[in-house]
Amino acid sequence: NAGVTQTPKFQVLKTGQSMTLQCAQDMNHEYMSWYRQDPGMGLRLIHYSVGAGITDQGEVPNGYNVSRSTTEDFPLRLLSAAPSQTSVYFCASSYGLAGGGGKNIQYFGAGTRLSVL
Amino acid sequence: KNEVEQSPQNLTAQEGEFITINCSYSVGISALHWLQQHPGGGIVSLFMLSSGKKKHGRLIATINIQEKHSSLHITASHPRDSAVYICAVPSYNTDKLIFGTGTRLQVFP
């Protein structure tokens, strides 16, 4: 099993460009999420999904869009990149909310380092 | 909102030393997670615990639910333990986690 696969690993964008960060998992997990990690701050939740067709906003959703058409894939779209979106992005998945009660182990992708100039 | 505080922020140690990293949170939780972020950036789950103590190799995690406090201990530390250790708690007992800012550990030979 590959686990959680993120692509690309590195990306440089110019202000105003758009792009999609890909995330795929092969563990049949219902819950998937996107976090950003900035220096001196903990991981912050951007968007999450509790299953195919269902997404919701996290703590810092502005400037990002997501969709979940399949259980496996959860892409994150930057609509018009801004320098404030320079960060490291992590995708994670876990078995799911139902019955989990916060006790499900989360599996992380390797991260995407994004720079917006 | 549950706040998660970790201490210390940075920690250096000599190989063989006993390490303790602390995590405090502000509201009741069902479980607490400890994660490790390698120098290369990858994040892996170390422990999920809801009471008492768990041990895996040289790593020991404890939690005191009443005091809203958890500790991660590393016995006989080794340079390969150098990493950032992150504490996280569930938001409203869901899979949405709230993360501490991490403790950067460097172990020197």
Side-chain angles (χ1 to χ4, degrees):
Chain A
N1 284 350
V4 180
T5 303
Q6 277 185 247
T7 57
K9 285 187 167 40
F10 302 94
Q11 185 70 48
V12 178
L13 292 177
K14 294 182 179 177
T15 296
Q17 286 185 315
S18 63
M19 80 158 295
T20 299
L21 278 62
Q22 301 291 345
C23 176
Q25 52 89 11
D26 60 1
M27 297 173 282
N28 204 31
H29 284 167
E30 291 297 325
Y31 183 82
M32 296 185 74
S33 53
W34 277 101
Y35 296 96
R36 59 178 289 172
Q37 186 178 40
D38 300 294
M41 304 184 77
L43 289 153
R44 292 182 293 168
L45 182 65
I46 304 171
H47 285 284
Y48 67 98
S49 169
V50 300
I54 307 169
T55 64
D56 206 347
Q57 296 181 350
E59 183 184 353
V60 288
N62 292 341
Y64 307 95
N65 210 350
V66 292
S67 60
R68 184 98 179 267
S69 56
T70 66
T71 299
E72 295 77 20
D73 300 298
F74 190 45
L76 177 72
R77 296 183 190 83
L78 277 70
L79 308 172
S80 178
S84 61
Q85 293 178 304
T86 294
S87 187
V88 182
Y89 292 85
F90 288 94
C91 178
S93 75
S94 64
Y95 182 71
L97 288 171
K103 298 183 180 181
N104 291 312
I105 299 297
Q106 295 210 10
Y107 297 83
F108 287 81
T112 296
R113 189 174 295 274
L114 176 68
S115 293
V116 183
L117 307 176
Chain B
K1 181 182 174 181
N2 207 352
E3 300 294 336
V4 180
E5 300 284 340
Q6 282 187 243
S7 64
Q9 286 189 324
N10 295 285
L11 188 53
T12 58
Q14 288 296 124
E15 184 173 356
E17 285 186 9
F18 182 83
I19 305 294
T20 295
I21 299 169
N22 297 299
C23 176
S24 298
Y25 51 92
S26 56
V27 300
I29 57 170
S30 58
L32 182 141
H33 298 252
W34 281 103
L35 306 103
Q36 180 191 55
Q37 186 168 24
H38 298 288
I43 300 173
V44 296
S45 177
L46 294 175
F47 295 103
M48 186 283 297
L49 67 164
S50 52
S51 65
K53 179 168 76 173
K54 284 192 175 180
K55 184 175 189 288
H56 184 251
R58 295 179 294 104
L59 272 60
I60 303 166
T62 64
I63 189 167
N64 185 319
I65 295 291
Q66 286 74 28
E67 294 187 3
K68 298 185 173 61
H69 181 269
S70 176
S71 293
L72 178 68
H73 306 285
I74 305 175
T75 61
S77 60
H78 189 276
R80 66 175 174 265
D81 297 325
S82 298
V84 176
Y85 293 86
I86 302 169
C87 167
V89 300
S91 172
Y92 300 106
N93 292 336
T94 68
D95 278 13
K96 292 166 61 178
L97 295 182
I98 300 169
F99 293 83
T101 55
T103 295
R104 183 174 300 276
L105 170 65
Q106 289 184 294
V107 182
F108 294 99

